Amino acid sequence: MKLVRHGPAGAEKPGLLDGRGRVRDLSGHVADIAGDVLLPEGLARLAALDPEALPLVEGRPQQDLRLGPCVSLVRKFIAIGLNYADHAAESGMAVPAEPVVFNKWTSCIIGPDDDIRIPQGSTKTDWEVELGVVIGKPAAGVSKAEAMAHVAGYCVVNDVSEREWQLERGATWDKGKGFDTFGPIGPWLVTADEVPDPQNLSMWLEVDGRRYQDGSTRTMVFGVAELVAYCSTFMTLLPGDVITTGTPPGVGMGQNPKVFLKGGEVMRLGIEGLGEQTQKVVA
């Protein structure tokens, strides 16, 4: 299934895509794409519905029908740093011996095509296309072998980053990662049964039509199962928590000379089978 949240910001309704790419409304069955809906039994109930019997939502998704973040009530937005060896190299940092974990504040989450706002005074706002993992069944202390049973599905994430605040303003990355609008997720949550191998997905990002990132989840240092297990050792992962798993090379910071967003640009990004995002950058 491809689950969506459609409508104006702050008033989104749950839905799913039918076989023709149209949005069908789920409001008669669930309150939102969140919480217990993402448990295996919750997803099974949605999968048993006939999409053709659900109300058709007017408009074309991502054209004249806005889509919101594909999951709501996210309690933890966890991010993984330097998880592609070639991105670590372009950043001038060593490949980590174990996952680098930081936070993106949940207040940064927006829809896949909403505007990105450059923070006041920023001169180093950057982009990162990433695979997002959405937790379904709670996970605490799970093994790598058990981890995939706790994944509800996957989505596209743009891990927008302010590099000065991330790297030059003290010891923690979190400050540069969670500015408002720095967490577009979606367009849809693709359930895990439709992604047989999350470690073999192509991914890309363009700014004003120029392709900067062109990579694959094959080159992750730590794969999805290992990341879920690792994070579950020091926190309980809950339904709707999102882990964004790192980016391939091609970020603005890695260019020579460096390229940062100034306002007025348009970013497009996508992951194989998971859809695309388009964001205008607003100064």
Side-chain angles (χ1 to χ4, degrees), residues 104-163:
K104 289 180 75 72
W105 317 125
T106 57
S107 53
C108 80
I109 293 174
I110 58 172
D113 307 308
D114 293 342
D115 292 348
I116 302 293
R117 298 199 309 272
I118 294 181
Q120 185 174 2
S122 168
T123 59
K124 297 182 179 180
T125 297
D126 205 346
W127 57 81
E128 296 190 6
V129 59
E130 303 200 1
L131 173 67
V133 179
V134 180
I135 299 298
K137 186 168 64 172
V142 302
S143 68
K144 181 179 175 181
E146 299 167 325
M148 298 305 281
H150 296 263
V151 174
Y154 304 92
C155 63
V156 181
V157 176
N158 190 351
D159 177 18
V160 185
S161 307
E162 211 295 332
R163 301 302 188 189

